């Protein structure tokens, strides 16, 4: 399987990474280079093999569904590029 | 006074315990050493000398009251992947800007609880994506080791924990934290003549570690000796409710493994690790390791791990896929870099284009592609099935042997720039280490010899899940047999 420039533009949009026109072709080549190398996995017979979900046999722990943290608005906002009156300031989303 | 920075962690703790010197004295020695060396090596991206001295004074005060912890007064370096409260943490990515965590990672909190002192934050490949520390936003780290050919070419310390490895090798900390997703502790350890151990997945908490590939990421130390690595590991690992994959299992005192006789242990030598074009130096090193363990009474068993060659391609599906999901959080809204744009999507796209470096973008593109509609089964699901086969390979051989012996890397340190043009040749650095990540197993690299250029090379011991003890026991035997005492000549101190 190989990707086209069109595929790469679509993936860049999905990944939310701006990709200037002049970088599309080089990126396509790089991805194809890597994807072609990955193709060798096709040789492995995985008939009947379960996909791995956890490397170490363990069950997910459960806990009471209660609040364990909070009341730290200042800390939450401390690294915000922009904040005001205890809120994150973000660009307008709905016109 | 002797040069305090040349001490091992173990000897330094003895010196502190016997009051031969104070934490303030050894910390000051390190602060001075870093000041002189960092311009040349770029191991630290953030030095915290005032914090260090304050922590050292507090440590001395605790010790005076008889309240010494397991690492009391020991100055350490912290990989920039670990969140440190009030101290900038960026995983060496531009996208995190001046991010200053309001919380502490569990691993570093464990260190401070036991009295350790922080010297600063260590350089690394951006988001731990790289094997040469050339993808850091803060520039390359230089390996203190140089080839003995007189060329004085700058060599890579390996990656992604290149700052940790370079700092330990150049005596710029007693030991350092590091992390390993595909070999990022063990490969730099091998390139710098230091010891690095990745414990079993789930031993160390991932809380507060900047996430790369969550099913593979694991913290561990880089240190000067096997014993030092065990001392660090004892403190870094813990069960943690804040990480749902953290294991609730008994944790032995790993320092007790050091010096335990290895007589009667069965050591597997996997034939698939004898790759085409492997340098003669590496072949020799491996055989030497086999001979040492035989002489110490181990039984050497030839074993086969048939799916080894598929580990790296599987990794380059699984790791980018998980990264594309993990790194989706960097949207420029709540922290880090935000770039301007005409609308919200533009802002996201511009922020991420500006904030991520080339290798990170490449992997995010691969990850997004393999997870996208129509390709999930062909790539991600397939890779996870191959991963099961790789784990089964290990489980089969571990019915027969106690540990595996392999080279850590297919080469010694290479020159900066040498492999940046070809991602796949860079990825091949991790060919011997990545299998342990995919299978969640513990692995250690121990330096045992130098190559024809006088550069250090390591051997790797891979153990059964939760059997770090076997790794440390065998590594300590190799260390004892090798008597590897070579140090790089100090050219870096201004």
């Amino acid at each position: 399987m190989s990707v086209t420039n069109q595929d790469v533009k679509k993936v860049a949009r999905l990944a939310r990474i701006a990709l200037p026109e002049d970088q599309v072709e080089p990126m396509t080549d790089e991805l194809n280079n890597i994807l072609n190398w990955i193709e060798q996995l096709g040789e492995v017979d995985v008939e009947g093999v379960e996909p791995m979900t956890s490397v170490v046999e363990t069950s997910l722990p459960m806990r009471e569904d209660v609040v364990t943290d909070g009341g730290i608005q200042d800390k939450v906002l401390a690294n915000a590029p922009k904040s005001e009156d205890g809120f994150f300031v973000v660009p307008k989303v709905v016109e | 006074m002797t040069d305090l920075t040349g001490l091992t962690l173990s000897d330094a703790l003895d010196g502190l315990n016997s009051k031969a010197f104070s934490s303030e004295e050894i910390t000051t020695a390190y602060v001075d050493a870093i000041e002189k060396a960092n311009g040349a090596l770029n191991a630290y991206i953030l030095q915290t000398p005032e914090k260090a001295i304050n922590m050292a004074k507090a440590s001395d005060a605790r010790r005076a009251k008889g309240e010494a912890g397991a690492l009391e007064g020991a100055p350490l370096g912290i990989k920039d992947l670990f969140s440190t409260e009030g101290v900038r943490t960026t995983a060496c990515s531009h996208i995190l800007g001046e991010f200053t965590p309001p919380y502490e990672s569990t691993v570093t909190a464990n260190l401070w609880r036991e009295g350790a002192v922080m010297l600063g934050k260590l350089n690394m490949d951006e988001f731990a994506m790289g094997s040469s520390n050339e993808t850091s936003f803060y520039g390359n780290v230089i390996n203190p080791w140089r080839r003995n050919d007189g060329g004085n070419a700058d060599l890579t310390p390996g990656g992604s924990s290149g700052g940790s490895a370079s700092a330990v090798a150049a005596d710029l900390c007693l030991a350092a934290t590091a992390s390993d997703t595909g070999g990022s502790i063990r490969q730099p350890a091998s390139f710098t003549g230091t010891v690095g151990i990745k414990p079993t997945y789930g031993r160390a908490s991932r809380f507060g570690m900047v996430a790369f590939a969550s099913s593979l990421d694991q913290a561990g130390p880089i240190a000067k000796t096997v014993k030092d690595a065990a001392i660090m590991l004892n403190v870094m690992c813990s069960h943690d409710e804040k990480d749902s994959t953290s294991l609730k299992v008994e944790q032995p005192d790993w320092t007790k493994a050091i010096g335990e006789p290895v007589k009667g242990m069965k050591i597997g030598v996997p034939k698939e690790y004898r790759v085409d074009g492997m340098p003669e130096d590496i072949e020799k090193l491996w055989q030497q390791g086999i001979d040492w363990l035989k002489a110490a009474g181990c039984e050497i068993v030839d074993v086969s791990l048939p799916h080894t060659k598929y580990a790296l391609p599987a990794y380059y599906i699984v790791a980018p896929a998980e990264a594309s999901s993990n790194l989706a959080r960097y949207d420029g809204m709540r922290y880090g870099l935000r770039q301007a744009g005409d609308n919200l999507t533009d802002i996201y796209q511009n922020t991420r284009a500006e904030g991520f470096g080339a290798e990170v973008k490449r992997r995010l593109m691969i990850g997004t592609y393999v997870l996208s509609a129509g390709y999930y089964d062909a790539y991600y699901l397939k890779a996870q099935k191959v991963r099961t086969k790789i784990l089964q390979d290990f489980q089969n051989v571990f019915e027969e042997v106690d540990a595996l012996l392999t080279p850590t890397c297919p080469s010694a340190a290479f020159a900066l720039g040498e492999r940046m043009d070809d991602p796949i040749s860079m990825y091949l650095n991790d060919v011997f280490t990545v299998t342990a990540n995919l299978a969640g197993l513990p692995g250690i690299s121990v330096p045992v010899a130098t190559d024809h250029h006088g550069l250090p090379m390591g051997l790797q011991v891979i153990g059964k899940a939760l059997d770090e003890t076997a790794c440390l026991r065998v590594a300590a035997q190799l260390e004892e047999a090798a008597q590897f005492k070579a140090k790089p000549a100090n050219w870096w101190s201004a």
Side-chain angles (χ1 to χ4, degrees):
Chain A
M1 262 181 277
S2 63
V3 293
T4 61
N5 288 351
Q6 229 27 55
D7 295 331
V8 164
K9 286 185 191 172
K10 184 183 157 207
V11 172
R13 263 199 314 279
L14 289 172
R16 294 285 186 270
I17 297 172
L19 196 63
E21 200 56 45
D22 64 330
Q23 287 175 26
V24 173
E25 183 92 40
M27 181 65 90
T28 303
D29 292 345
E30 281 175 19
L31 296 197
N32 278 328
N33 190 19
I34 295 167
L35 290 169
N36 287 336
W37 172 69
I38 287 172
E39 285 300 303
Q40 55 179 303
L41 288 185
E43 298 164 14
V44 187
D45 179 10
V46 291
E47 191 63 37
V49 176
E50 284 294 312
M52 182 179 282
T53 48
S54 170
V55 277
V56 182
E57 275 177 57
T58 179
S59 50
L60 276 181
M62 305 289 273
R63 67 165 174 83
E64 289 302 308
D65 186 14
V66 292
V67 175
T68 57
D69 203 353
I72 49 168
Q73 190 185 44
D74 289 356
K75 285 186 172 186
V76 170
L77 290 170
N79 284 284
K82 224 173 156 187
S83 68
E84 222 175 277
D85 300 332
F87 292 92
F88 289 103
V89 177
V90 299
K92 197 168 168 184
V93 181
V94 184
E95 293 299 327
Chain B
M1 201 180 309
T2 52
D3 182 14
L4 295 178
T5 62
L7 295 174
T8 63
L9 173 61
S10 168
D11 287 345
L13 289 170
D14 286 347
L16 287 160
N17 284 331
S18 68
K19 303 211 164 56
F21 49 83
S22 67
S23 176
E24 192 179 349
E25 283 170 314
I26 189 167
T27 300
T28 305
Y30 272 114
V31 166
D32 292 347
I34 296 166
E35 182 66 36
K36 288 194 190 111
N38 210 50
L41 298 177
N42 199 29
Y44 284 85
I45 58 152
L46 185 68
Q47 299 167 42
T48 54
E50 276 176 37
K51 187 179 175 72
I53 300 294
N54 286 338
M55 286 176 91
K57 284 180 177 164
S59 168
D60 287 332
R62 279 193 301 273
R63 185 181 291 284
K65 283 194 286 181
E67 295 169 3
L71 292 171
E72 195 62 59
L76 306 177
I78 304 299
K79 185 176 182 179
D80 200 37
L81 187 106
F82 294 88
S83 293
T84 41
E85 188 173 356
V87 178
R88 191 187 68 195
T89 301
T90 66
C92 288
S93 179
H94 185 32
I95 205 153
L96 269 154
E98 293 295 314
F99 180 70
T100 305
Y103 53 83
E104 189 78 30
S105 80
T106 299
V107 164
T108 47
N110 289 345
L111 299 175
W112 315 143
R113 190 197 60 233
E114 293 298 328
V117 169
M118 177 164 78
L119 291 165
K121 303 300 288 285
L122 293 163
N123 207 336
M124 57 183 279
D125 278 299
E126 182 182 3
F127 286 114
M129 297 182 196
S131 302
S132 62
N133 215 119
E134 288 170 284
T135 72
S136 166
F137 178 64
Y138 296 94
N140 301 337
V141 177
I142 312 297
N143 193 331
W145 291 82
R146 284 175 163 175
R147 292 179 183 136
N148 57 12
D149 58 5
N152 290 339
D154 281 338
L155 304 183
T156 170
S160 70
S161 308
S164 306
S166 179
V168 172
D171 290 332
L172 302 181
C173 56
L174 280 172
T177 64
S179 67
D180 193 314
T181 304
S184 281
I185 290 175
R186 292 159 286 158
Q187 182 253 20
S190 181
F191 278 15
T192 56
T194 55
V195 177
I197 181 168
K198 178 196 93 70
T200 307
Y201 182 81
R203 277 284 195 195
S205 169
R206 289 181 297 107
F207 176 78
M209 282 171 72
V210 178
F212 163 14
S214 301
S215 77
L216 303 162
D217 296 344
Q218 191 58 204
I222 290 181
K224 296 181 190 180
T225 65
V226 176
K227 188 178 180 187
D228 286 3
I231 294 170
M232 287 288 287
L233 199 64
N234 273 351
V235 178
M236 289 173 71
C237 294
S238 65
H239 171 65
D240 182 12
E241 285 180 355
K242 291 178 189 158
D243 172 4
S244 64
T245 60
S246 161
L247 295 171
K248 202 169 189 173
V249 289
E250 196 195 338
Q251 189 175 312
D253 175 358
W254 282 303
T255 59
K256 294 213 169 106
I258 316 300
E260 272 287 297
V262 296
K263 195 168 185 305
M265 282 182 87
K266 286 187 175 175
I267 305 297
V269 175
K271 66 172 185 203
E272 288 79 8
Y273 283 56
R274 212 169 287 282
V275 293
D276 291 343
M278 191 151 82
E280 206 188 313
D281 284 326
I282 304 286
E283 288 266 8
K284 262 169 59 187
L285 164 90
W286 198 4
Q287 189 54 49
Q288 177 70 76
I290 291 167
D291 293 344
W292 280 326
L293 292 182
K294 250 189 217 164
C298 291
E299 185 187 333
I300 304 296
V301 185
D302 288 321
V303 296
S304 172
L305 297 164
H307 295 90
T308 298
K309 71 175 276 209
Y310 302 110
L312 261 185
Y315 175 86
Y316 275 96
I317 293 173
V318 174
E322 294 184 10
S324 77
S325 170
N326 271 328
L327 273 61
R329 75 190 67 181
Y330 302 106
D331 58 6
M333 296 299 131
R334 292 151 300 157
Y335 45 77
L337 186 74
R338 182 190 292 182
Q339 292 291 105
D342 293 338
N343 52 50
L344 188 63
T345 304
D346 254 13
I347 293 173
Y348 289 152
Q349 293 187 341
N350 292 343
T351 299
R352 290 164 65 83
E354 177 70 21
F356 294 135
E359 179 62 21
V360 172
K361 282 182 199 166
R362 197 179 289 137
R363 295 200 198 187
L364 293 180
M365 292 287 290
I366 292 278
T368 304
Y369 177 70
V370 300
L371 290 179
S372 63
Y375 297 103
Y376 180 84
D377 287 6
Y379 288 109
Y380 191 72
L381 207 62
K382 173 97 191 195
Q384 289 291 52
K385 288 179 180 177
V386 172
R387 206 173 159 188
T388 300
K389 300 278 267 187
I390 289 165
L391 177 62
Q392 286 169 350
D393 280 357
F394 278 112
Q395 286 167 338
N396 290 339
V397 302
F398 279 133
E399 284 183 10
E400 203 187 342
V401 301
D402 301 305
L404 297 164
L405 180 72
T406 79
T408 307
C409 301
S411 76
F414 48 90
L416 291 169
E418 218 166 72
R419 300 196 187 170
M420 279 305 269
D421 295 338
D422 180 3
I424 292 172
S425 88
M426 187 66 90
Y427 299 168
L428 287 171
N429 266 290
D430 294 334
V431 64
F432 299 144
T433 47
V434 73
T435 50
N437 298 84
L438 289 170
L441 304 173
I444 186 169
S445 176
V446 57
V448 292
T450 52
D451 75 348
H452 64 289
H453 279 129
L455 298 177
M457 300 180 296
L459 281 173
Q460 175 180 233
V461 183
I462 301 174
K464 297 175 186 172
L466 299 177
D467 199 2
E468 288 78 7
T469 300
C471 296
L472 290 160
R473 203 169 141 196
V474 175
Q477 178 63 45
L478 291 168
E479 184 181 51
E480 175 67 23
Q483 288 297 314
F484 182 83
K485 302 283 185 217
K487 291 278 248 179
N490 186 334
W491 53 267
W492 56 82
S493 285

